[in-house]
C-alpha cells in the first residue's frame, strides 16, 4: 500500500484504512486519507500551518479525537490540510503541525463534506511491525 | 466491508420479516424489518440486519427494534431504524440513534405553476437556484446570524427566522412540531458546536442534500390531493437538508461526553457507536436539551433555504412568491428523537422514539397534525433519487399501532459511494440525466456520480411496502425536472 491509506466501501458512509511503520506515520496517513475524501490532495498547498493537539485515554480514542480536531479546524477556519508533521505522539497524546491553505473554490477540487469521525468498526492495531488503523466517517 | 447476513430471518407477513430475539443473547426484543421478497436480498447484503439486532440490546426498548424498507448499513444504528424506549423502565437515549445530522429532514412546497410555465426554462431556473443558494463544502451565504442571534435560533427554531422576515406564520403551522422543540437549551451546546454553526444557517451542505424542482406525475388519493391543492402536471419544490456543522458537532460532543455512561449505568452494548444514557439521567437530559436546540437550528435552516427558493422563483418569474403559490405543504424531520405517547401491551406510555432515517407518520385525527390536514393524516414526504420519483403520503393509524408512528424516509442507498464512482467511470451522469429531461447541477465533481439513480433502491418499491403495510398512504408521486446538489 504505497499511499499509506486506502478508502474502503460502506453503503452509506466512507471507511478508511491507514498504515504506518510507527504511530506518527499512522496518524499522519490517517489524516491525509481523511482530507483525500474531502478533496483532491494534489490541489492543496501547504502555505498555512496550525498547531494541533489531541488527548484521549487510549489509542483508538486518540485517533478519533485527532481526526475530529482536524475536521473541526477545517470546518470552522475554512482550511484544507495536506501535510501533518507529528511533533510528539504516544498512546494518549498527540501534538502536530497541520499544513494546508484556505479553501479556494476556484482552484481546489472538492468532493464531499465529512460530517464526523465515528466509533463504528474503529480499530488501531499493530501487526507484523506495521500499525494499521480503520475508521468510518459519516459523510 | 460487505458481510452477508447469516442469522435467522422469519417472514411475518407480506411486508414484514423478523429477527428473533433468540439470535443473540442480550437482545431484549425481536428485530422487525419492513420489506418484501424484492427488497430483502439487498437488505441482507450488508450489515444493516446485524445493526437491527444490536439496537435490540438497548435498555428499555419497547416492542421491537424496527427497520423501514429503506434500511441500509449505518454506524451503530442502521439507517431506516426506529427504536422506542421507556424512560420508566430505564429506557435510554442514544445520540447514534438520531445521527450526526440532527433533524435532517425534507420540506415540500407546492406552486401554482404547471408544466407549460416551466417548459424549456428548467435549466435556467436550476442555474438561478444554484447561484442563489450556498451549497457544497465550505460555502457560506450572505445571510448570517451572529452568536447572540444563533442562541435565539437554537431556542426558537423556525419562528425566530420567520420573525425576521424569512417566511410567514403559515410556514410554522406546516412544520413538524411547529418548527421548534420545547426544552431546547442553547447552553447545553459546547462553544465548539456554536462555532461550527456560525455562517451555516441557510446553506444546503453536501452529500445527499438537495433542492429539487419536480412535477406531479400521478395522484393516488384525490380527496387528500384536493386538500393539498395538488394535481397532475403541477410543479413542486423539495428541500432536503439538516442542522449542518452545528448538529454534527452536537452529536460528536455528546458521544464523547457519554463515553463513561454505559459503565456508570451498567449498560452492555455490542457496538460503541450505540453509546447511550438513561433518558432520566443528567447525561441523557443534557443530550436531549442539546439535540432539541440542534433540531431547531435545522428547522430554521430549511426555513431560510425555502426563503431563498421563494426569492429565486420570484425573481425568475417576475412575480411575488405568494402570487406563484409557493406555499409550504409540510416539513418533516427524519433524524430525531422525541418523547411521544404510544400504547404498548394495552398501556399508554410516554416513550423516547428514535427515528434514524425514518419519518413520523401520524394517522388522521392526531392532535399534532395541523388542523387543515387533520382529517387525512400527517403529510409524509419521501424523496427518491434524482432520476426516478419522490412521494407525498399521509400517515395512517397502523403506524401508531405498529411502528411508533413511523414510516420510511427515502429510497435508501444500495451502492457504496466508491462503487457509485466506479460505475460512473467513462460515463457522464449529468448528460444521462439531461437525456431524461432532468437538469442536475452539483458543486462537487463527484457529487452526481455518488448520487446517481442506480446508487439507490427504487423508491417506488420502498413506498409500495409502507403503503401496503398501512404505515402511510400514497397521495401523489413527483418526478424530477431539475436538481441542485452540494
Amino acid at each position: 500500500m504505497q499511499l499509506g491509506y486506502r478508502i474502503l466501501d460502506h453503503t452509506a458512509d466512507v471507511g478508511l484504512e491507514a498504515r504506518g511503520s510507527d504511530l506518527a506515520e499512522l496518524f499522519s496517513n490517517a489524516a491525509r486519507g481523511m482530507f483525500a475524501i474531502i478533496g483532491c490532495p494534489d490541489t492543496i498547498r501547504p502555505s498555512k500551518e496550525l498547531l494541533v493537539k489531541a488527548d484521549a485515554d487510549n489509542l483508538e480514542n486518540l485517533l478519533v479525537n485527532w481526526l475530529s480536531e482536524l475536521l473541526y479546524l477545517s470546518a470552522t477556519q475554512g482550511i484544507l490540510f495536506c501535510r501533518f508533521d507529528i511533533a510528539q505522539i504516544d498512546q494518549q497524546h498527540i501534538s502536530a503541525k497541520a499544513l494546508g491553505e484556505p479553501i479556494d473554490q476556484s482552484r481546489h477540487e472538492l468532493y464531499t463534506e465529512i460530517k464526523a469521525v465515528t466509533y463504528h468498526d474503529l480499530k488501531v492495531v499493530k501487526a507484523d511491525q506495521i500499525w494499521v488503523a480503520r475508521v468510518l466517517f459519516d459523510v | 466491508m460487505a458481510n452477508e447476513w447469516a442469522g435467522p430471518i422469519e417472514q411475518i407477513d407480506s411486508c414484514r420479516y423478523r429477527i428473533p430475539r433468540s439470535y443473540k443473547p442480550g437482545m431484549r426484543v425481536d428485530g422487525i424489518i419492513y420489506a418484501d421478497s424484492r427488497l430483502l436480498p439487498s437488505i441482507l447484503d450488508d450489515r444493516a440486519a446485524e445493526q437491527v439486532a444490536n439496537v435490540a440490546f438497548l435498555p428499555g426498548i419497547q416492542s421491537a427494534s424496527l427497520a423501514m424498507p429503506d434500511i441500509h448499513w449505518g454506524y451503530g444504528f442502521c439507517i431506516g431504524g426506529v427504536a422506542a424506549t421507556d424512560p420508566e423502565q430505564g429506557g435510554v437515549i442514544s445520540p447514534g440513534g438520531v445521527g450526526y445530522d440532527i433533524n435532517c429532514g425534507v420540506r415540500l412546497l407546492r406552486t401554482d405553476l404547471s408544466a407549460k410555465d416551466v417548459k424549456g426554462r428548467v435549466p435556467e431556473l436550476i442555474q438561478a437556484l444554484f447561484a442563489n443558494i450556498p451549497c457544497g463544502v465550505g460555502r457560506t451565504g450572505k445571510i448570517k446570524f451572529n452568536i447572540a442571534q444563533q442562541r435565539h435560533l437554537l431556542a426558537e427554531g423556525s419562528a425566530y427566522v420567520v420573525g425576521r422576515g424569512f417566511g410567514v406564520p403559515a410556514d410554522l403551522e406546516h412544520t413538524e412540531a411547529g418548527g421548534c422543540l420545547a426544552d431546547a437549551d442553547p447552553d447545553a451546546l459546547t462553544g465548539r458546536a456554536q462555532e461550527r454553526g456560525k455562517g451555516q444557517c441557510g446553506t444546503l451542505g453536501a452529500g445527499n442534500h438537495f433542492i429539487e424542482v419536480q412535477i406531479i406525475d400521478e395522484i393516488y388519493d384525490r380527496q387528500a390531493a384536493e386538500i393539498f391543492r395538488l394535481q397532475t402536471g403541477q410543479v413542486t419544490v423539495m428541500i432536503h437538508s439538516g442542522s449542518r456543522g452545528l448538529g454534527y458537532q452536537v452529536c460528536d460532543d455528546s458521544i464523547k461526553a457519554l463515553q463513561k455512561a454505559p459503565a456508570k449505568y451498567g449498560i452492555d452494548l455490542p457496538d460503541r457507536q450505540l453509546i447511550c444514557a438513561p433518558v432520566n439521567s443528567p447525561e441523557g437530559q443534557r443530550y436531549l436539551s442539546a439535540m432539541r436546540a440542534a433540531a431547531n437550528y435545522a428547522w430554521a435552516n430549511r426555513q431560510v433555504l425555502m426563503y431563498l427558493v421563494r426569492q429565486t422563483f420570484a425573481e425568475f418569474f417576475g412575480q411575488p412568491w405568494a402570487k406563484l403559490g409557493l406555499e409550504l405543504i409540510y416539513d418533516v424531520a427524519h433524524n430525531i428523537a422525541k418523547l411521544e405517547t404510544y400504547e404498548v401491551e394495552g398501556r399508554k406510555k410516554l416513550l423516547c422514539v428514535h427515528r434514524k432515517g425514518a419519518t413520523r407518520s401520524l394517522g388522521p385525527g392526531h392532535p399534532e397534525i395541523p388542523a387543515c390536514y387533520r382529517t387525512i393524516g400527517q403529510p409524509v414526504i419521501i424523496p427518491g433519487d434524482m432520476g426516478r420519483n419522490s412521494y407525498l403520503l399521509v400517515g395512517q393509524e397502523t403506524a401508531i399501532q405498529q411502528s411508533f408512528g413511523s414510516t420510511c424516509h427515502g429510497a435508501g442507498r444500495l451502492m457504496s459511494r466508491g462503487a457509485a464512482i466506479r460505475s460512473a467511470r467513462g460515463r457522464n451522469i449529468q448528460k444521462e440525466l439531461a437525456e431524461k429531461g432532468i437538469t442536475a447541477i452539483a458543486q462537487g465533481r463527484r457529487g452526481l456520480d455518488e448520487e446517481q439513480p442506480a446508487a439507490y433502491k427504487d423508491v417506488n418499491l420502498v413506498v409500495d411496502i409502507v403503503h401496503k403495510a398501512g404505515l402511510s398512504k400514497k397521495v401523489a408521486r413527483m418526478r424530477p425536472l431539475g436538481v441542485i446538489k452540494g
Side-chain angles (χ1 to χ4, degrees):
Chain A
M1 207 168 67
Q2 282 180 330
L3 275 171
Y5 62 82
R6 73 189 169 105
I7 292 161
L8 306 173
D9 280 353
H10 177 282
T11 314
D13 299 305
V14 177
L16 179 76
E17 184 178 286
R19 289 169 186 249
S21 55
D22 55 25
L23 283 177
E25 196 180 53
L26 179 78
F27 274 57
S28 164
N29 284 340
R32 286 173 52 226
M34 180 171 78
F35 282 93
I37 293 168
I38 297 171
C40 175
D42 302 341
T43 62
I44 309 164
R45 294 183 293 224
S47 60
K48 190 173 163 134
E49 65 175 59
L50 284 180
L51 288 175
V52 185
K53 284 185 177 182
D55 304 302
D57 51 5
N58 64 47
L59 201 49
E60 287 181 349
N61 289 352
L62 187 67
L63 180 71
V64 171
N65 290 357
W66 154 249
L67 296 175
S68 300
E69 184 64 23
L70 290 168
L71 212 52
Y72 173 76
L73 291 169
S74 171
T76 52
Q77 304 201 18
I79 296 174
L80 294 170
F81 296 110
C82 58
R83 213 178 91 194
F84 307 89
D85 297 342
I86 315 288
Q88 189 270 327
I89 184 166
D90 58 36
Q91 301 270 327
Q92 296 180 325
H93 311 278
I94 181 169
S95 64
K97 254 193 301 195
L99 293 96
E101 63 175 333
I103 296 178
D104 177 348
Q105 301 279 356
S106 65
R107 198 164 47 76
H108 291 137
E109 197 182 329
L110 296 163
Y111 302 140
T112 197
E113 178 181 61
I114 292 182
K115 292 176 184 161
V117 188
T118 80
Y119 292 90
H120 181 63
D121 273 349
L122 175 65
K123 268 190 201 88
V124 181
V125 290
K126 194 175 182 182
D128 299 332
Q129 304 303 307
I130 299 282
W131 282 98
V132 183
R134 267 184 170 222
V135 63
L136 182 78
F137 302 105
D138 183 8
V139 297
Chain B
M1 284 186 177
N3 191 354
E4 206 171 318
W5 170 256
I9 188 102
E10 303 163 355
Q11 187 158 11
I12 301 173
D13 53 33
S14 60
C15 300
R16 289 183 297 173
Y17 289 83
R18 178 190 295 118
I19 301 169
R21 61 182 284 200
S22 56
Y23 167 54
K24 276 207 275 203
M27 282 175 72
R28 295 166 194 263
V29 291
D30 293 339
I32 291 180
I33 300 173
Y34 283 82
D36 64 5
S37 55
R38 294 174 298 179
L39 283 170
L40 194 68
S42 73
I43 292 173
L44 300 183
D45 222 18
D46 61 22
R47 283 161 51 191
E50 190 70 40
Q51 295 185 321
V52 175
N54 287 345
V55 169
F57 278 64
L58 294 180
I61 187 164
Q62 303 291 298
S63 303
S65 161
L66 300 170
M68 296 298 128
D70 49 339
I71 171 181
H72 55 272
W73 183 21
Y75 40 85
F77 275 66
C78 67
I79 295 159
V82 178
T85 63
D86 180 2
E88 298 301 316
Q89 290 180 34
V92 292
I93 170 86
S94 171
V98 172
Y100 286 92
D101 197 355
I102 295 167
N103 188 5
C104 184
V106 268
R107 59 173 56 193
L108 180 68
L109 283 85
R110 65 178 296 285
T111 74
D112 286 336
L113 300 164
S114 63
K116 66 173 186 339
D117 298 314
V118 294
K119 195 164 187 259
R121 301 183 71 191
V122 172
E124 228 184 310
L125 175 62
I126 294 298
Q127 279 294 352
L129 288 167
F130 192 65
N132 287 352
I133 297 166
C135 53
V137 185
R139 298 248 178 190
T140 53
K142 286 185 206 123
I143 298 165
K144 295 243 182 345
F145 300 93
N146 63 32
I147 288 283
Q149 291 166 327
Q150 189 167 285
R151 286 180 62 84
H152 281 285
L153 204 145
L154 290 165
E156 300 160 36
S158 289
Y160 178 69
V161 291
V162 166
R164 293 176 63 85
F166 297 104
V168 293
D171 298 339
L172 304 178
E173 200 191 325
H174 292 183
T175 303
E176 179 174 338
C180 178
L181 292 181
D183 302 320
D185 181 5
D187 288 328
L189 269 66
T190 62
R192 290 163 75 89
Q194 300 260 12
E195 188 61 31
R196 219 170 147 184
K198 251 174 41 187
Q200 291 205 334
C201 185
T203 65
L204 187 63
N208 60 3
H209 294 162
F210 66 82
I211 294 176
E212 190 172 276
V213 177
Q214 316 167 321
I215 195 148
I216 296 179
D217 76 349
E218 183 120 29
I219 295 284
Y220 302 92
D221 181 333
R222 295 213 168 274
Q223 185 212 349
E226 254 172 50
I227 289 178
F228 291 124
R229 289 185 295 129
L230 293 177
Q231 55 187 335
T232 312
Q234 195 172 339
V235 173
T236 56
V237 184
M238 194 178 274
I239 301 172
H240 179 212
S241 188
S243 49
R244 312 289 296 107
L246 180 132
Y248 317 158
Q249 195 66 40
V250 166
C251 182
D252 203 42
D253 292 341
S254 303
I255 287 173
K256 288 183 170 74
L258 289 178
Q259 290 295 327
K260 293 193 167 71
K264 180 177 168 188
Y265 295 102
I267 301 167
D268 190 23
L269 296 169
D271 182 338
R272 279 189 72 184
Q273 195 67 34
L274 292 175
I275 202 149
C276 55
V279 174
N280 291 334
S281 70
E283 295 90 340
Q285 286 298 315
R286 190 177 173 86
Y287 168 68
L288 273 169
S289 306
M291 183 217 69
R292 289 170 180 145
N296 292 347
Y297 182 98
W299 272 311
N301 181 40
R302 287 197 290 278
Q303 182 68 35
V304 175
L305 288 170
M306 180 172 74
Y307 166 83
L308 294 170
V309 167
R310 283 171 168 168
Q311 210 183 34
T312 306
F313 269 69
E315 278 167 27
F316 189 82
F317 292 100
Q319 284 191 65
W321 64 260
K323 276 240 155 111
L324 298 167
L326 250 80
E327 289 157 17
L328 177 60
I329 289 179
Y330 204 60
D331 175 302
V332 284
H334 54 224
N335 280 3
I336 204 157
K338 287 163 94 182
L339 293 170
E340 295 171 351
T341 304
Y342 293 97
E343 201 175 291
V344 182
E345 288 155 7
R347 260 187 63 209
K348 282 216 186 287
K349 292 178 170 184
L350 185 66
L351 304 176
C352 179
V353 183
H354 298 73
R355 295 193 183 97
K356 165 91 173 284
T359 311
R360 196 184 66 173
S361 180
L362 303 175
H366 197 286
E368 280 199 45
I369 304 173
C372 55
Y373 302 144
R374 205 164 290 158
T375 56
I376 50 170
Q378 175 218 303
V380 168
I381 302 154
I382 306 299
D385 62 74
M386 39 185 193
R388 278 174 286 203
N389 298 106
S390 295
Y391 280 87
L392 173 66
L393 302 92
V394 282
Q396 294 289 279
E397 184 59 28
T398 312
I400 308 270
Q401 293 154 8
Q402 277 189 7
S403 60
F404 305 105
S406 310
T407 189
C408 63
H409 88 306
R413 278 195 83 91
L414 196 58
M415 252 185 220
S416 72
R417 290 167 204 272
I421 290 168
R422 287 191 293 277
S423 104
R425 264 186 209 143
R427 291 164 57 199
N428 183 335
I429 301 295
Q430 194 171 33
K431 205 168 144 229
E432 286 177 21
L433 287 165
E435 280 161 8
K436 292 172 71 178
I438 301 161
T439 306
I441 315 180
Q443 197 68 257
R445 204 188 63 161
R446 288 181 180 170
L448 295 181
D449 294 356
E450 286 183 4
E451 294 290 316
Q452 61 172 297
Y456 285 87
K457 297 182 203 181
D458 183 351
V459 71
N460 297 295
L461 299 183
V462 170
V463 166
D464 272 352
I465 300 287
V466 296
H467 178 83
K468 220 165 92 184
L471 301 182
S472 21
K473 187 172 154 200
K474 291 196 266 190
V475 174
R477 187 177 73 180
M478 289 77 79
R479 69 178 165 78
L481 294 176
V483 60
I484 66 166
K485 297 196 72 89

